Amino acid sequence: MTQKLSALNKKDTSWSGRFNEPVAELVKKYTASVGFDYRLAIYDIQGSIAHAQMLSEQCIISHEDCTAIEAGLLDIKEEINAGKFDWQLNLEDVHLNIEKRLTDKIGDAGKRLHTGRSRNDQVATDVRLWLRDVTLQVIEGLSRLQASLLDLAEAHFDTVMPGFTHLQVAQPITFGHHLMAYVEMLKRDVARFQDCYKRINRLPLGAAALAGTSYPINRERVAEKLGFDGVCENSLDAVSDRDFAIEFTFASSMVMMHLSRFSEELILWSSPRFAFIDIADRFCTGSSIMPQKKNPDVPELVRGKTGRVYGHLTALLTLMKAQPLAYNKDNQEDKEPLFDTADTLLVTLEIYADMLRLPVIENGVVIKAGFTVNKENMRQAASEGFATATDLADYLTKKGMPFRDAHEAVALAVRYAVDQRLELSNLPLATLQQFAPEIAEDVFSVLTLEGSLNSRNHIGGTAPSQVKAAIARARK
Ligand code: ARG
């Protein structure tokens, strides 16, 4: 009894009756999560209210206690929103901070809130509630980015640029077609988040510490109140697995990977060696030593932050891999990588959508395009480097020559042209005929950029009419 009393005297935590000495100061700091999990506060309150209502409906706590709990929690929510809540490291985490404050405010009713619940199912619920919101924001961010890309693609449905393989000029394409490739990638990204959402949106509450609870709870009712699609069907799984968070981080990594590829292109294209685009000043910085520099910081950072998000994915996978069932404190480490993944992704999507936007006038103020396109330079680059060599080979094949022979004839013509420092279209007809007598006057229409583009006229091809059709489909 003496021991119990002294324990109660030093009591800040909900479990200290069991302990003979206080937790070491350094250990408190080491084990506390309130420094970051306070971000879950409004979800914690939302979950607690639903839990209390269910307890009251099931006559596990009284109606009066439930009313007091609800009112107390709503007050606390206001304190938190107003920045007036006094978070205490001593109280370890967001859950115990809120519960203690509730009990200080409403007394015994506050102490009844935790009936039939554990922090294990509580935290799993909070994270899912939070991640559900974030996932919807991500999907919205992806949609906005797609909208920017579609507008840009529409403005450039027939802007000619070189398409590359191995970063060598390959065949002419349109810039609109290039942009539409990213619309496709983002489409799959959206689908990944939508799919992941289904697995996030399941209720762990009711699993209690690990095995369920002896109270006559109604889990489906709580799920319904919180807008979950259903309950996690195994209590051990409910409290311990974080696969839904790993999935979210994987889907985020995939988006970052796509944007990193695009960023790499923006960086290359904005270099004076390419000079395809000029990124607006608001996305760039200068150099402290070289006065001429304008650096494409935003795309570079997107590329860099991709590594950061991959790191979080690796951290979460590694966090789970050796944990025996069910809950282990290791899981507390899921939050910082997950929060940072969401923060990084959401801000990246927002900045990126702005960087890809066309110029607009908002409230009388002109907002410049995220980048301007130098069509002449793109076109010039497409007309160098034998981008239409494949078209010439196809031309010969259509005249009856087997494709492999046509390929070889054109390769020889290209080699000759390289030596002469000329493009294929600059070679006289008689010269071209030395490589293949089938070549006639009509070859020159095949060697033009537009001829090449327009000939790739099927679904998925780069012909401007197809790009327009692809944009129309994507807008639906
Ligand atoms: N702060 C903890 C976490 O994030 C809450 C759950 C604590 N559970 C426990 N059994 N210590 O995981």
Side-chain angles (χ1 to χ4, degrees):
M1 196 60 203
T2 350
Q3 197 192 61
K4 180 113 191 255
L5 270 180
S6 67
L8 277 176
N9 286 341
K10 69 167 173 65
K11 189 172 162 109
D12 265 336
T13 56
S14 57
W15 36 256
S16 47
R18 160 81 172 71
F19 287 71
N20 279 322
E21 60 174 356
V23 173
E25 278 310 308
L26 192 57
V27 173
K28 260 189 207 166
K29 286 197 187 122
Y30 193 71
T31 54
S33 55
V34 65
F36 47 87
D37 68 14
Y38 70 90
R39 283 182 65 161
L40 297 173
I42 59 164
Y43 300 98
D44 195 68
I45 288 172
Q46 188 188 1
S48 287
I49 289 176
H51 177 68
Q53 287 174 346
M54 179 279 289
L55 290 179
S56 146
E57 286 167 18
Q58 299 293 108
C59 302
I60 300 168
I61 64 170
S62 71
H63 180 67
E64 293 68 41
D65 281 348
C66 176
T67 312
I69 289 171
E70 269 187 66
L73 286 173
L74 292 177
D75 275 356
I76 293 172
K77 185 170 158 182
E78 270 178 35
E79 290 171 16
I80 293 170
N81 286 339
K84 289 192 186 127
F85 191 90
D86 181 20
W87 297 105
Q88 291 188 40
L89 200 71
N90 269 338
L91 293 170
E92 211 179 310
D93 57 27
V94 61
H95 324 291
L96 296 179
N97 267 269
I98 292 177
E99 195 184 319
K100 171 74 163 50
R101 179 80 185 117
L102 182 68
T103 304
D104 287 349
K105 277 168 110 64
I106 66 170
D108 281 356
K111 295 186 200 159
R112 295 202 173 97
L113 169 62
H114 212 53
T115 311
R117 183 176 78 170
S118 153
R119 276 185 295 158
N120 297 353
D121 56 346
Q122 187 178 356
V123 69
T125 302
D126 293 2
V127 173
R128 284 171 185 262
L129 285 169
W130 171 82
L131 194 56
R132 192 171 79 167
D133 273 7
V134 168
T135 302
L136 294 178
Q137 287 170 38
V138 168
I139 292 172
E140 217 177 284
L142 286 167
S143 308
R144 269 200 299 271
L145 185 51
Q146 284 180 308
S148 281
L149 276 166
L150 283 170
D151 290 345
L152 201 58
E154 193 145 54
H156 291 286
F157 81 101
D158 62 352
T159 301
V160 186
M161 70 178 276
F164 298 91
T165 60
H166 313 269
L167 204 57
Q168 311 286 324
V169 170
Q171 291 172 353
I173 58 171
T174 70
F175 187 40
H177 192 56
H178 195 107
L179 294 167
M180 287 304 289
Y182 286 100
V183 171
E184 287 294 309
M185 296 176 220
L186 296 183
K187 202 158 87 185
R188 293 191 296 274
D189 286 328
V190 167
R192 264 183 281 275
F193 281 103
Q194 285 168 336
D195 198 55
C196 167
Y197 185 93
K198 294 181 213 157
R199 284 175 290 277
I200 295 171
N201 204 27
R202 295 260 149 196
L203 175 77
L205 222 51
L210 74 164
T213 174
S214 57
Y215 298 96
I217 56 168
N218 184 345
R219 298 186 66 204
E220 284 78 9
R221 184 80 180 108
V222 180
E224 191 189 315
K225 285 174 187 289
L226 293 174
F228 282 107
D229 292 330
V231 302
C232 299
E233 292 200 5
N234 178 288
S235 62
L236 300 167
D237 174 50
V239 290
S240 64
D241 204 357
R242 297 291 183 264
D243 59 353
F244 64 92
I246 297 174
E247 255 186 270
F248 173 89
T249 310
F250 168 69
S252 302
S253 299
M254 201 75 108
V255 175
M256 292 300 291
M257 179 274 287
H258 286 148
L259 295 184
S260 184
R261 297 186 69 187
F262 198 11
S263 296
E264 174 72 9
E265 297 188 322
L266 295 177
I267 294 163
L268 283 172
W269 295 343
S270 68
S271 140
R273 294 282 156 176
F274 273 82
F276 285 3
I277 61 166
D278 187 27
I279 301 178
D281 290 357
R282 66 180 182 278
F283 301 105
C284 301
T285 66
S287 154
S288 57
I289 174 169
M290 297 166 283
Q292 85 284 9
K293 288 297 286 293
K294 178 175 146 183
N295 299 325
D297 291 47
V298 168
E300 287 175 88
L301 274 174
V302 171
R303 200 175 51 185
K305 284 175 191 287
T306 301
R308 175 186 182 124
V309 173
Y310 289 4
H312 295 327
L313 176 61
T314 307
L316 290 176
L317 283 166
T318 312
L319 177 68
M320 283 312 309
K321 74 178 265 293
Q323 284 192 51
L325 295 182
Y327 177 88
N328 301 281
K329 188 79 167 185
D330 311 40
N331 277 346
Q332 181 166 287
E333 287 288 306
D334 64 353
K335 286 165 207 65
E336 287 165 294
L338 191 55
F339 290 162
D340 191 69
T341 297
D343 293 344
T344 306
L345 181 59
L346 285 171
V347 69
T348 300
L349 290 175
E350 194 179 332
I351 297 186
Y352 230 94
D354 185 26
M355 196 164 60
L356 300 188
R357 79 193 298 167
L358 291 171
V360 280
I361 301 177
E362 263 173 25
N363 311 318
V365 183
V366 183
I367 304 182
K368 287 204 218 157
F371 62 82
T372 50
V373 176
N374 191 329
K375 291 191 187 189
E376 291 70 38
N377 287 350
M378 280 189 175
R379 193 183 172 89
Q380 183 60 31
S383 57
E384 290 163 5
F386 309 97
T388 54
T390 314
D391 297 273
L392 179 54
D394 290 344
Y395 166 90
L396 289 172
T397 307
K398 283 171 198 158
K399 299 232 168 197
M401 192 185 273
F403 179 76
R404 276 285 156 244
D405 294 342
H407 183 281
E408 181 61 10
V410 177
L412 291 170
V414 167
R415 195 158 108 191
Y416 174 80
V418 169
D419 287 345
Q420 304 295 309
R421 295 175 181 270
L422 290 171
E423 288 295 317
L424 285 177
S425 56
N426 301 129
L427 296 178
L429 182 59
T431 310
L432 284 170
Q433 283 170 336
Q434 286 174 9
F435 297 98
E438 292 85 344
I439 296 178
E441 190 62 50
D442 61 350
V443 75
F444 292 104
S445 68
V446 165
L447 294 179
T448 65
L449 295 171
E450 269 71 20
S452 169
L453 289 176
N454 288 324
S455 69
R456 288 166 168 74
N457 187 16
H458 52 76
I459 188 160
T462 193
S465 58
Q466 290 294 341
V467 175
K468 270 199 156 169
I471 294 169
R473 281 196 305 273
R475 285 210 193 276
K476 281 205 229 142

